[in-house]
Structures are given as C-alpha cells and as structure tokens.
Amino acid sequence: DAKTTQPPSMDCAEGRAANLPCNHSTISGNEYVYWYRQIHSQGPQYIIHGLKNNETNEMASLIITEDRKSSTLILPHATLRDTAVYYCIVRPRLAAGNKLTFGGGTRVLVKP
Amino acid sequence: EAGVVQSPRYKIIEKKQPVAFWCNPISGHNTLYWYLQNLGQGPELLIRYENEEAVDDSQLPKDRFSAERLKGVDSTLKIQPAELGDSAVYLCASSLESNTEAFFGQGTRLTVV
C-alpha cells in the first residue's frame, strides 16, 4: 500500500475552515484516499474517501490534486468537537489485500 | 441503527491471566476487523474476517492470541496468557464488504498489571 505523510499536529480557530494536507506521492491508479478521525477515547470514525474527483459530504470536503500525489481534507467550519487525530489512508480499490493501514495522523486542536 | 458494539469497555488483569474481548458488528456486515492501538499510535490490524473465515491474520501473534467468528456474526478475541506489553486498546470494526468503509467500535482498553 502507498505510504502517506501528514503533519503531526496543527491548530485551527473555531468557526474557520481547517485544511488538513496529506502527501501520497506513490499512490497507484487503483488506490483510494480515505480519511478517518479519532476523537479521544473513541474508535476511528469514517469521514470521506475519493479516487480522483473532489468529494463532499455533510462532514467535509476532499480535494485531490490532478496528479493524485496529494490531497486536502477541508472541515468548512471547525468546531471544538472536531478536535481529534485525523488519519489519511491510501487503500487498494479491489478486495484483495484490502485493509486500512493507519499512520501517525495529524493531531488537530480546534481553539476557541 | 446500532453501531459496532464492543465489551467490556475497560479491563484490568494481572499478567499471565487470560482475557477475552467481544465484538458485535453492524447487522449485515460481512467483513470484521480486530485492530490493536498502542498509546499515541495509529491502529494496527490484527485479523480480518470475511464472514466466518479469517482471510488475513498475518499480524496476529498466534502463540498467545486467538480469535473466532462463529456463524459469521459476533467475534471474540482472546489473549492467553496476557503480558504487560499487551496493554493497549483493542478495536473492532466492520464493513459491508471488504472494499467499503469500515465502522469502528469504541474499543476495549486493556491494562495488564
């Protein structure tokens, strides 16, 4: 599976957009980009995923560069409850060998 | 709809004792995962089931860890005997199929003393 690189931590202001970067320069054509987050003392929570097109749901937007070597997760209006560790994961599209491989993630602190 | 349910939430045992964790996945989910999460690190896969078959257990320490998923629904993960280094959070997750998003339970925090 392709490796991802994320900043270890970042702060953002409540009510502002939070932009979380992820590099995945070795991603292959059959691999999706997934984002999960883990709030303290809880299990990871699925946020969004995409292949090459930008995606948006009720939680966030995912922007994938045209060469697919990096992506950005956008939380449009960060709240204090968005404080969590955010994991960017590259995952094979096909069922074979399909698993979530978590890295260190980005520890996001939303401040009032 | 209920999510993935794990029990117990917390467990404290003495080293060399056995311990078991239980997981009830989301109804209809064929794929079930057990992950281990050490403090300050991301979760690591221990075993993945497709229905009742363990299809990826390469990271499961088989000398002391065992798992089962009878009838392809609930699953148990057992450690016998537990060691101090087994102190961690054990997470269960399930997904509809193996290539769809996984949903995680709250985990069982194990402390071995």
Side-chain angles (χ1 to χ4, degrees), chain A residues 34 36 38 40-46 49 87 91-104 107, chain B residues 9-10 33 35 37 40-43 45 48 56 59 91 95 97-107 109:
Chain A
Y34 273 75
Y36 279 75
Q38 188 171 23
H40 183 62
S41 295
Q42 296 184 23
Q45 175 190 23
Y46 166 79
H49 74 280
Y87 296 99
R91 188 184 194 191
R93 183 178 185 181
L94 300 176
N98 189 37
K99 64 182 180 181
L100 293 169
T101 302
F102 290 82
R107 190 171 299 272
Chain B
R9 189 82 168 86
Y10 303 93
Y33 311 80
Y35 279 82
Q37 186 171 27
Q41 299 181 23
L45 181 69
R48 175 169 65 97
D56 183 356
Q59 302 302 311
L91 293 160
S95 60
E97 301 293 343
S98 59
N99 60 347
T100 58
E101 60 267 28
F103 296 87
F104 285 78
Q106 288 194 296
R109 181 176 296 277

Side-chain angles (χ1 to χ4, degrees), chain B residues 44-85:
Chain B
E44 302 171 33
L45 181 69
L46 289 173
I47 190 168
R48 175 169 65 97
Y49 282 92
E50 297 294 342
N51 297 303
E52 66 274 10
E53 181 182 0
V55 296
D56 183 356
D57 62 356
S58 57
Q59 302 302 311
L60 189 72
K62 299 181 183 62
D63 56 336
R64 297 183 301 107
F65 287 65
S66 64
E68 61 181 9
R69 191 184 184 197
L70 298 177
K71 300 182 181 179
V73 182
D74 293 0
S75 177
T76 56
L77 177 69
K78 299 178 181 179
I79 308 175
Q80 182 172 11
E83 298 178 352
L84 295 176

Side-chain angles (χ1 to χ4, degrees), chain A residues 7-12 17-21 73 84 106-111:
Chain A
S9 64
M10 62 182 293
D11 295 344
C12 60
N19 298 302
L20 282 61
L73 180 75
T106 297
R107 190 171 299 272
V108 174
L109 177 61
V110 180
K111 296 182 175 180

